[in-house]
C-alpha cells in the first residue's frame, strides 16, 4: 500500500497497547480491534457508561455538521484529522452524498487505519478522497500532504473530532488549530468534538487515569470555556459549544436522558 506521498509503507501495529480509534471501534460495535482494546474499552465503559453514548453522539454530530457545511455553507473540501477506523457515515460519504464533487482528505497516525485506507478511498468519480498517514501534532506535515488533493484557495472544513483531547497543552492545541485553519481562506470552518470535563467529572477523571496508565499517548478533557478558546478568531455557528446531541438535532438524533460528556462546536473563519 502507498499513502498520498506515494511512498510504500509497511504498517507496524502494536496489538499490546490500546488505541483510541480501536477502542471507539469496539464501542461502536466494530470488529477492527484487539483484545487489549476491548479490555480497556470495557473497563472504561464500567467507569463511565455514558462514554459509549458519547461515541455514538459524536458520530451523529459529525454527519450533521458535514451535511450542514455542504448544504448550507457551501463547503466542498474537508480535511478530517484523526479520522479513526471506517464506520457508518464517514465524512466523504456524507459530503459526497450532498454534493458528489466534494474533496475529502483523511489523516490518522494509527497503522491499522492505514491498512483500511483503501476502504476510505472509495468515493465518487466527480470528487476526490485521499488518506494521509500523519500526526495531528505535526500540522505542517499534515498540510504538505493534504494540499496535494485540496485547493488552498477554496473554503475548507477542518475536522478535529475527538483528536485535540490528545493534545495536552492549550498552547500547542491553539498552535495546531491556527496552523491548519491558516492554510485556508475566509469561509473555511473548524469542526471540533471533545470529551467534556463538566459532566460526571469525578468519573471522567477516573477514566482519564485508567486510560493514561494503559496508553503511552495521554488524553485530557476540556471544559466548555476551554473548548470555546479553541475557536479564537472564528465565528461560532449557533448553538455554540454544546453537548453532542444538542448541536442542530434532526429527527432520529440520539436523545439520551441526560447530557453526554462530549462537547462539540462548529466555527467559521471570517
Amino acid at each position: 500500500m502507498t499513502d498520498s506521498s506515494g511512498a510504500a509503507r509497511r504498517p507496524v501495529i502494536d496489538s499490546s497497547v490500546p488505541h483510541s480509534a480501536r477502542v471507539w471501534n469496539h464501542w461502536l460495535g466494530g470488529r477492527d480491534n484487539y483484545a487489549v482494546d476491548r479490555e480497556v474499552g470495557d473497563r472504561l465503559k464500567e467507569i463511565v457508561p455514558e462514554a459509549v453514548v458519547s461515541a455514538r453522539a459524536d458520530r451523529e454530530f459529525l454527519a450533521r455538521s458535514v451535511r450542514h457545511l455542504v448544504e448550507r455553507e457551501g463547503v466542498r473540501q474537508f480535511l478530517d484529522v484523526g479520522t479513526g477506523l471506517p464506520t457508518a457515515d464517514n465524512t466523504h460519504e456524507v459530503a459526497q452524498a450532498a454534493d458528489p464533487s466534494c474533496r475529502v482528505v483523511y489523516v490518522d497516525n494509527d497503522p491499522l487505519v492505514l491498512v483500511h485506507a483503501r476502504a476510505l478511498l472509495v468515493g465518487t468519480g466527480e470528487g476526490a478522497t485521499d488518506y494521509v498517514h500523519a500526526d495531528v501534532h505535526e500540522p505542517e506535515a499534515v498540510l504538505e500532504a493534504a494540499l496535494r488533493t485540496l485547493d488552498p484557495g477554496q473554503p475548507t472544513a477542518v475536522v478535529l473530532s475527538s483528536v485535540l483531547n490528545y493534545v495536552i497543552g492549550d498552547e500547542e492545541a491553539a498552535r495546531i488549530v491556527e496552523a491548519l485553519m491558516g492554510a485556508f481562506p475566509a469561509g473555511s470552518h473548524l469542526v471540533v468534538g471533545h470529551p467534556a470535563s463538566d459532566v460526571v467529572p469525578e468519573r471522567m477523571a477516573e477514566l482519564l487515569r485508567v486510560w493514561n496508565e494503559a496508553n503511552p499517548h495521554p488524553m485530557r478533557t476540556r471544559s466548555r470555556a476551554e473548548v470555546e478558546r479553541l475557536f479564537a478568531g472564528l465565528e461560532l455557528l449557533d448553538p455554540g459549544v454544546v453537548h453532542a446531541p444538542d448541536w442542530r438535532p434532526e429527527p432520529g438524533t440520539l436523545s439520551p436522558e441526560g447530557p453526554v460528556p462530549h462537547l462539540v462546536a462548529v466555527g467559521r473563519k471570517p
Side-chain angles (χ1 to χ4, degrees):
M1 176 174 293
T2 60
D3 64 8
S4 65
S5 68
R9 289 181 176 270
R10 180 173 299 175
V12 178
I13 300 171
D14 187 351
S15 61
S16 67
V17 176
H19 191 283
S20 58
R22 302 194 302 262
V23 171
W24 274 54
N25 177 265
H26 170 54
W27 284 347
L28 292 169
R31 299 179 179 179
D32 297 312
N33 48 74
Y34 296 103
V36 66
D37 305 307
R38 295 188 290 273
E39 179 182 350
V40 171
D42 289 344
R43 187 176 177 193
L44 297 179
K45 186 168 63 174
E46 289 177 359
I47 299 169
V48 183
E50 297 91 341
V52 177
V53 179
S54 292
R56 291 177 53 201
D58 182 70
R59 292 301 301 184
E60 289 188 357
F61 158 73
L62 176 62
R64 294 196 307 278
S65 60
V66 168
R67 191 158 46 245
H68 171 85
L69 290 173
V70 176
E71 295 178 350
R72 304 295 293 273
E73 305 292 340
V75 174
R76 296 295 183 269
Q77 294 193 144
F78 292 82
L79 176 57
D80 187 341
V81 184
T83 178
L85 290 157
T87 182
D89 293 332
N90 297 296
T91 298
H92 77 284
E93 294 171 329
V94 177
Q96 292 173 356
D99 186 325
S101 70
C102 287
R103 305 172 73 83
V104 179
V105 173
Y106 291 105
V107 181
D108 206 287
N109 67 343
D110 182 3
L112 189 59
V113 178
L114 177 59
V115 169
H116 286 268
R118 290 193 189 279
L120 288 174
L121 298 181
V122 179
T124 61
E126 299 92 329
T129 311
D130 199 5
Y131 176 80
V132 173
H133 191 70
D135 195 299
V136 68
H137 293 86
E138 300 174 350
E140 293 78 13
V142 168
L143 289 168
E144 181 181 1
L147 292 179
R148 298 189 182 104
T149 299
L150 303 178
D151 180 352
Q154 295 298 317
T156 300
V158 176
V159 180
L160 297 171
S161 183
S162 298
V163 65
L164 288 176
N165 41 303
Y166 293 97
V167 180
I168 303 302
D170 289 331
E171 290 186 4
E172 184 181 8
R175 179 187 67 83
I176 290 169
V177 170
E178 182 178 4
L180 294 175
M181 293 301 296
F184 300 105
S188 295
H189 288 72
L190 175 65
V191 179
V192 171
H194 200 294
S197 60
D198 65 344
V199 178
V200 294
E202 295 83 6
R203 289 192 282 124
M204 286 297 290
E206 177 64 8
L207 179 146
L208 288 178
R209 186 191 67 78
V210 170
W211 173 261
N212 291 342
E213 285 183 355
N215 196 287
H217 305 291
M219 179 174 68
R220 63 165 291 178
T221 57
R222 282 185 167 91
S223 67
R224 188 185 303 265
E226 288 170 325
V227 172
E228 285 181 352
R229 284 197 287 273
L230 297 172
F231 289 84
L234 305 178
E235 300 169 346
L236 279 172
L237 302 190
D238 289 337
V241 178
V242 294
H243 298 115
D246 299 328
W247 196 90
R248 303 190 180 212
E250 301 169 347
T253 295
L254 186 69
S255 182
E257 293 183 359
V260 299
H262 201 79
L263 294 166
V264 301
V266 179
R268 184 183 187 276
K269 183 174 181 177

